[in-house]
């Protein structure tokens, strides 16, 4: 007898490691619903990370522009 068990990380459940048990679980309504929720959360996280990254890039551009302007002003007045 095969004593190995399969764990579904998405549903946090254990089942037999045979292909039939795994397929039965993966095609089940609860598993599919949890997978959709998980995928949606990943999409939202990715969009949030992209938004934060773009905001950081924009902030850095503004800082670099302000620093460049200040350097030009200092060089023009000789106060550097």
């Amino acid at each position: 007898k095969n004593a190995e068990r399969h764990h579904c990380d998405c549903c946090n459940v254990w089942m037999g490691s045979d292909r039939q048990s795994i397929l039965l679980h993966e095609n089940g309504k609860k598993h599919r619903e949890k997978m959709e929720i998980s995928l949606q959360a990943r999409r939202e996280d990715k969009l949030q990370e992209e938004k934060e990254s773009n905001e950081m890039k924009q902030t850095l551009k503004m800082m670099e522009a302000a620093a460049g302007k200040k350097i030009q002003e200092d060089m023009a007045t000789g106060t550097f």
Side-chain angles (χ1 to χ4, degrees):
K1 180 180 175 184
N2 186 357
E4 290 183 27
R5 306 285 284 165
H6 175 76
H7 183 258
C8 175
D9 293 331
C10 180
C11 300
N12 195 26
V13 296
W14 290 93
M15 67 202 79
S17 63
D18 58 289
R19 189 73 183 141
Q20 184 177 359
S21 295
I22 294 170
L23 285 174
L24 183 65
H25 170 74
E26 289 177 348
N27 291 323
K29 181 179 177 184
K30 288 181 183 180
H31 177 79
R32 287 185 281 134
E33 287 173 353
K34 288 184 180 185
M35 284 299 294
E36 184 58 37
I37 291 168
S38 175
L39 290 173
Q40 183 64 31
R42 286 186 204 165
R43 286 185 206 113
E44 290 171 1
D45 289 346
K46 183 177 179 183
L47 288 175
Q48 182 64 28
E49 287 176 10
E50 288 176 356
K51 180 181 175 185
E52 291 172 1
S53 176
N54 288 337
E55 289 174 354
M56 180 64 75
K57 287 178 184 176
Q58 189 64 27
T59 301
L60 289 173
K61 282 183 183 179
M62 290 172 51
M63 290 171 63
E64 288 173 356
K69 183 178 177 183
K70 182 66 175 160
I71 289 172
Q72 292 297 325
E73 290 174 2
D74 289 348
M75 290 181 74
T77 60
T79 57
F80 53 89

